[in-house]
Amino acid sequence: MDQVQSSQQLAELEAEFDRKIASGHVIEPKDWMPERYRKQLLRMMSQHAHSEVVGMLPEGNWLTRAPSLMRKAVLLAKIQDEAGHGLYIYSGAETLGTSRVEMNDQLLAGKAKYSSIFNYPSLNWADMGAIGWLVDGAAIVNQTVLAKCSYGPYARAMVRICKEENFHNKQGYQILARMMQGTPAQREMAQDSMNRWWWPSLMMFGPSDKDSPNSADLMKWKVKLHSNDDLRQRFIDRVVPQAEAIGLRIPDDKLKWNPTTRHYEFGEINWDEFNQVISGNGPCNRLRIKQRRDAHENGRWVREAAMAYAAKQNKRTKAA
Amino acid sequence: MSDSNNWPTWEVFTQKAQGAPHEHAGNVHAPDAELALLNARDVYSRRNEAISLWVVPTESIVASTPEDVGPFFDPANDKMYRSPNFYKTPDGIKQI
Ligand SMILES: [Fe+2]
Ligand SMILES: [Fe+2]
């Protein structure tokens, strides 16, 4: 790939690549791929990995205030899974030629994107329920589809992640279900959390496809298999009955079941808010980057000690 | 802000059950073999997915290349006589 290719060679390679994709071939790191395919995947995978990592922060906020030791252990295990998800996806993204250190630097420099949802604050314990149920629930819908995408390392990371997400989803739902059986104050807290997380969860699927600049290419390359709107609808259809089952109200007056289409109809999403949040003006954007930087700086001595130890051991084996 | 040194990667192989082969699971970054094993455990076996782990420096892996796939594997292509289906048995013989 280093040598300059003639435009005819390039066109042949691209035609061959398109044929492979069309026939359901899975692309592996050493296969030839169009530069734009590599770039789009790197963009998506690094954003996805960053989201897993930044996603630990709103939940980390409640670790020391979990209502019981059991809840604390569960939350800790869930957060540890998210760290693992970040690592699987960074590892997959590295196969595209950018190191994890570079990706992390971009995140710390505030130049990288991650899911807009994590720029909202976690204000009460019920938020641990809403995050697991709604935020991880939306992620599951996305990730189940990505597990069939055309890039092998991404697809395999998603398979691994999907196996772990059901736990995240269920522990969250159970938190809210229990609160809805509790005192009026507990039920109110659960509903408040629902009210705050519902719309941002719908925004997680991204803008409507007509406003989504990369959609056409990504669909052609089977990086995306369904439109943002289709996945959002799938999520809503799945979640509304779950909310009703535990007595939570969906904060959308326009929400109603359409027996003909067999889908729920829903109200307008506030895309202005979405655009504000992704362009850095959400409630917690600055806080999240600061928290990541602090974590990175506070871990520096550990990384340095580990390197020093490895170097010393190395010297010893060589001397022996 | 950044660290000048990127920890090297190690390929991780997990054995799922006693008697099963070790299979490639993914990789981890680690400064040395000892930490590579610990990281591999934390990343690839949080739910008892493995009863044994191997970690191998990624740079030690030698791999075939996709461009050579045809010529590299074609010694196997013209040896149909390696398959039991290549042989016809006389009518009436059921078990061979
Ligand atoms: Fe995750
Ligand atoms: Fe999750």
Side-chain angles (χ1 to χ4, degrees):
Chain A
M1 263 127 289
D2 303 325
Q3 70 270 50
V4 184
Q5 282 135 342
S6 75
S7 57
Q8 196 204 333
Q9 268 176 320
L10 205 62
E12 272 167 25
L13 283 167
E14 270 193 41
E16 172 61 19
F17 181 83
D18 288 349
R19 256 196 307 280
K20 272 187 180 172
I21 297 268
S23 70
H25 193 102
V26 174
I27 305 299
E28 293 297 340
K30 286 178 158 187
D31 291 338
W32 184 88
M33 61 188 87
E35 217 27 56
R36 282 187 313 136
Y37 178 86
R38 179 190 304 276
K39 276 207 186 110
Q40 287 291 348
L41 268 166
L42 185 63
R43 180 186 64 83
M44 278 178 72
M45 292 175 78
S46 59
Q47 282 180 21
H48 194 160
H50 296 327
S51 303
E52 302 288 348
V53 170
V54 177
M56 291 190 278
L57 296 169
E59 290 177 312
N61 187 32
W62 283 88
L63 264 179
T64 56
R65 286 171 287 175
S68 72
L69 190 56
M70 186 62 204
R71 292 287 186 200
K72 182 173 180 165
V74 169
L75 187 59
L76 199 55
K78 197 262 186 199
I79 294 173
Q80 192 192 14
D81 276 353
E82 304 301 0
H85 295 180
L87 292 176
Y88 303 151
I89 308 172
Y90 281 129
S91 153
E94 284 193 304
T95 63
L96 294 163
T98 300
S99 73
R100 192 175 79 187
V101 165
E102 282 173 79
M103 289 184 262
N104 191 50
D105 281 351
Q106 293 207 318
L107 177 66
L108 297 182
K111 287 183 198 149
K113 279 196 178 133
Y114 52 84
S115 183
S116 59
I117 193 96
F118 301 119
N119 290 317
Y120 290 86
S122 51
L123 300 178
N124 60 33
W125 172 253
D127 285 3
M128 298 305 99
I131 290 175
W133 174 45
L134 295 174
V135 177
D136 289 65
I140 288 172
V141 171
N142 262 325
Q143 289 167 344
T144 313
V145 180
L146 283 169
K148 297 183 200 107
C149 80
S150 62
Y151 191 56
Y154 200 14
R156 289 190 288 272
M158 288 304 112
V159 170
R160 212 168 262 288
I161 286 175
C162 285
K163 282 191 196 146
E164 302 179 345
E165 288 290 0
N166 278 350
F167 148 53
H168 301 179
N169 192 232
K170 277 193 169 170
Q171 63 84 35
Y173 188 58
Q174 196 223 28
I175 288 174
L176 291 177
R178 281 294 285 280
M179 291 182 87
M180 290 306 285
Q181 291 166 353
T183 63
Q186 285 170 322
R187 289 203 294 276
E188 205 175 295
M189 189 185 276
Q191 184 62 55
D192 166 63
S193 178
M194 175 79 184
N195 295 349
R196 285 180 290 107
W197 291 94
W198 174 253
W199 290 104
S201 300
L202 299 191
M203 294 175 199
M204 281 176 71
F205 295 92
S208 184
D209 294 282
K210 46 186 190 318
D211 307 316
S212 182
N214 301 314
S215 273
D217 271 351
L218 296 176
M219 295 274 237
K220 181 184 95 177
W221 287 324
K222 295 192 184 166
V223 173
K224 252 176 112 165
L225 298 165
H226 299 278
S227 73
N228 294 352
D229 290 325
D230 283 355
L231 294 178
R232 185 166 18 244
Q233 186 69 54
R234 198 179 282 188
F235 172 71
I236 292 171
D237 291 347
R238 186 179 294 182
V239 152
V240 173
Q242 295 171 356
E244 284 168 353
I246 58 173
L248 279 172
R249 199 184 58 78
I250 307 272
D252 177 359
D253 296 335
K254 298 214 172 90
L255 189 95
K256 70 164 195 282
W257 175 250
N258 181 330
T260 322
T261 60
R262 307 195 56 77
H263 290 297
Y264 284 94
E265 290 169 5
F266 55 99
E268 260 307 296
I269 292 170
N270 184 349
W271 292 115
D272 283 343
E273 177 183 322
F274 175 77
N275 289 325
Q276 281 297 316
V277 178
I278 57 168
S279 54
N281 302 318
C284 300
N285 296 56
R286 274 169 279 274
L287 174 66
R288 296 301 180 227
I289 295 301
K290 183 188 177 312
Q291 287 172 314
R292 281 313 309 153
R293 282 182 189 155
D294 290 350
H296 189 75
E297 283 311 314
N298 293 336
R300 182 183 292 281
W301 70 272
V302 180
R303 294 190 299 277
E304 284 174 358
M307 281 305 277
Y309 180 75
K312 200 162 134 192
Q313 291 299 102
N314 221 341
K315 226 187 257 167
R316 227 174 253 166
T317 14
K318 277 201 187 117
Chain B
M1 181 63 65
S2 91
D3 301 321
S4 50
N5 31 30
N6 196 2
W7 286 355
T9 56
W10 305 70
E11 298 305 315
V12 179
F13 297 81
T14 54
Q15 186 188 29
K16 290 187 179 65
Q18 204 265 318
H22 284 72
E23 287 175 357
H24 187 239
N27 63 30
V28 290
H29 285 267
D32 59 30
E34 205 181 331
L35 277 175
L37 263 184
L38 292 179
N39 287 353
R41 178 200 60 192
D42 291 345
V43 177
Y44 294 102
S45 189
R46 283 193 299 280
R47 289 173 173 78
N48 301 312
E49 289 97 332
I51 58 156
S52 163
L53 283 174
W54 294 346
V55 290
V56 179
T58 302
E59 57 182 22
S60 305
I61 304 263
V62 182
S64 63
T65 57
E67 294 86 54
D68 301 339
V69 146
F72 187 74
F73 290 103
D74 90 350
N77 289 343
D78 58 355
K79 295 180 182 63
M80 276 309 293
Y81 45 83
R82 280 193 169 130
S83 158
N85 299 332
F86 180 77
Y87 302 93
K88 300 242 176 331
T89 40
D91 290 348
I93 301 290
K94 287 213 180 79
Q95 283 196 353
I96 181 168

